[in-house]
């Protein structure tokens, strides 16, 4: 398919500096009638009306290039016609089925089985969000091992429900709601730009992964034998962190040696985003359990699932339930989206275009005083902003300035990272080279503007 026709051809187009008058009216209504935890419209003030492919239109008629992608949901593009067609045909027939079999569900399960490694031959649909999948994965691990402790990683994000939040590293999200689940232990991820061991990736001995081995073997580490390690193969909210090639295999090896289950959270990095259907495929390991959500519902229909090895399928009927166990419209939309991904080689497109975008960002990095590191894989990219390239002092205020500049000039981006200083790009994977280039140019100008404020 020619991806060009999926997006608005005249984006970026700023008719009135956002937020325009209509957006302002929506925002005022929202802020006076909705809870104060609403967040994205505070960073990118606008109300949205239409979205197509890798572009979004606000209520004032401004059109944006979308490097935000609904926080990594829109892999096949906003309003993807094949997905909309499938969802529309489904919606008039059946929309809710708990866990009764139905044709749409069967089709989704069949496609997932054809894409997953043969060993992950059980799929299970719980609640609709990524957090729900994380809860289910953790419960399955605990049920099978009879153990309680969990190992998670610094920089991780796994969701907002109690268990998923306990596995997430951001203190800002949880310190006011303590206590979290007990016996969750955080260990360093391979965040080489800020290696806690002061090593360089070329010469280190994967000290971060070795640290897991150390805490498992030292009877005074204070860490009981865990049920599972939960890890993102490429960290998303942590700042688009791609670990060295041997990191994930080393964690797998340690899990095998100590008979600990390995859960790979594919909610953000999965479904073609990083250049493979599943991000764990880059490291050629086989997880015991994976979690999927975000792009799984095609164009934002909420659904999540876990996939796991048959040997773990020990829990009895009803051990893990919920009113929304899967979503029939999302099965239809998701099946169409998965087919679209395969038929259009979306993984390859993401890998190639992402590689090109990274090379442009690396060029910008060379001339910039505030870009500490541009990194990523496929179309999961991040640019870490610092006040000083030597000291690496994080610059969250510059990151929000960059985001505002981008928004005012027709580009939507996300901010994340340990210090909220990483500009993150998660565009719909159907983005064209032309739009990607225009977006990177706006970003470059934003960085130049932000630099003036140093
Ligand atoms: C890796 C990862 N896991 C889990 C989640 C939680 O998903 P949800 O927001 O749908 O609960 C996210 C959300 O950003 C995520 O990036």
């Amino acid at each position: 398919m020619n991806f060009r026709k999926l997006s608005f051809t005249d984006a970026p187009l700023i008719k009135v500096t956002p937020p325009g008058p209509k957006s302002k009216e929506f925002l005022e209504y929202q802020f006076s009638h909705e809870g104060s935890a609403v967040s994205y419209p505070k960073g990118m003030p606008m109300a949205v009306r239409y979205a197509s492919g890798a572009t979004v239109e606000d209520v004032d008629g401004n059109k944006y290039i979308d490097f935000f992608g609904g926080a990594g949901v829109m892999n096949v593009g906003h309003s993807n016609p094949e997905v909309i067609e499938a969802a529309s045909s489904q919606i008039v027939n059946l929309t809710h089925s708990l866990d009764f079999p139905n044709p749409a569900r069967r089709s989704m399960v069949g496609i997932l089985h054809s894409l997953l490694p043969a060993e992950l031959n059980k799929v299970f649909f719980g609640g609709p969000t990524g957090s729900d999948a994380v809860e289910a994965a953790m419960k399955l691990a605990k049920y099978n091992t009879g153990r309680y402790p969990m190992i998670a990683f610094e920089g991780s994000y796994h969701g907002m429900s109690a268990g998923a939040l306990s596995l997430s590293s951001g203190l800002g999200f949880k310190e006011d709601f303590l206590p979290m689940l007990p016996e969750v232990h955080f260990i360093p991820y391979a965040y080489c730009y800020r290696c806690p061991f002061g090593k360089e990736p070329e010469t280190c001995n994967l000290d971060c992964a070795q640290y897991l081995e150390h805490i498992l073997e030292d009877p005074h580490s204070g860490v009981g034998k865990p049920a599972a390690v939960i890890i993102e193969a490429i960290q998303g909210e942590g700042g688009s962190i791609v670990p060295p090639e041997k990191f994930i295999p080393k964690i797998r090896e340690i899990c095998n040696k100590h008979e600990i289950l390995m859960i790979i959270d594919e909610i953000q990095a999965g479904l073609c985003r990083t250049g493979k259907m599943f991000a764990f495929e880059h490291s050629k390991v086989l997880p015991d359990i994976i979690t999927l959500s975000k792009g799984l519902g095609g164009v934002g229909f909420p659904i999540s699932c876990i996939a796991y090895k048959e040997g773990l399928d020990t829990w009895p009927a009803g051990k893990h339930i919920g009113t929304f166990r899967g979503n029939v419209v999302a099965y239809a939309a998701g099946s169409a989206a998965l087919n679209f991904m395969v038929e259009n080689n979306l993984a390859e497109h993401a890998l190639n275009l992402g590689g090109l975008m990274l090379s442009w960002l690396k060029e910008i990095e060379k001339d910039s005083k505030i870009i500490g590191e541009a990194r990523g894989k496929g179309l999961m990219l991040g640019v870490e902003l610092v006040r000083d390239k030597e000291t690496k002092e994080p610059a969250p205020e510059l990151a929000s300035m960059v985001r505002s500049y981008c928004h005012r000039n027709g580009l939507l981006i996300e901010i994340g990272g340990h210090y909220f200083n990483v500009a993150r790009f998660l565009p719909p994977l159907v983005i064209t080279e032309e739009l990607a280039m225009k977006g990177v140019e706006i970003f470059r100008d934003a960085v130049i503007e932000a630099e003036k404020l140093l």
Side-chain angles (χ1 to χ4, degrees), residues 68-99:
F68 174 53
V73 165
M74 289 297 162
N75 293 22
V76 296
H78 296 275
S79 312
N80 181 298
E82 292 178 23
V83 176
I84 298 294
E85 161 91 49
S88 309
S89 319
Q90 182 59 46
I91 210 162
V92 290
N93 289 321
L94 178 77
T95 51
H96 182 69
S97 76
L98 289 159
D99 48 15

Side-chain angles (χ1 to χ4, degrees), residues 261-288:
L261 296 173
M262 184 184 206
I263 303 169
I264 299 198
D265 183 344
E266 290 276 334
I267 288 165
Q268 187 167 135
L271 304 183
C272 301
R273 175 145 305 277
T274 67
K276 297 269 186 197
M277 181 54 72
F278 305 106
F280 68 78
E281 293 176 88
H282 289 292
S283 47
K284 301 188 176 61
V285 300
L286 181 66
D288 298 295

Side-chain angles (χ1 to χ4, degrees), residues 306-350:
I306 57 173
Y308 54 91
K309 292 179 178 165
E310 189 161 14
L312 297 173
D313 201 33
T314 55
W315 47 8
K319 194 72 184 169
H320 185 71
I321 57 168
T323 306
F324 298 108
R325 286 174 235 186
N327 171 313
V328 189
V329 181
Y331 294 138
S335 300
L338 293 171
N339 283 333
F340 182 93
M341 289 175 197
V342 174
E343 282 160 15
N344 291 284
N345 294 326
L346 214 52
E348 196 183 318
H349 177 70

Side-chain angles (χ1 to χ4, degrees), residues 38-62:
V38 162
S39 64
Y40 283 124
K42 292 177 181 158
M44 291 182 283
M46 64 174 168
V48 288
R49 194 192 293 280
Y50 304 113
S52 190
T55 48
V56 170
E57 181 175 344
D58 73 15
V59 290
D60 295 288
N62 294 319

Side-chain angles (χ1 to χ4, degrees), residues 104-122:
R105 184 180 185 115
R106 181 164 164 166
S107 149
M108 166 72 104
V109 172
I111 297 169
L112 281 172
H113 274 279
S114 72
L115 299 173
L116 286 160
E119 294 86 345
L120 298 182
N121 56 357
K122 289 287 169 185

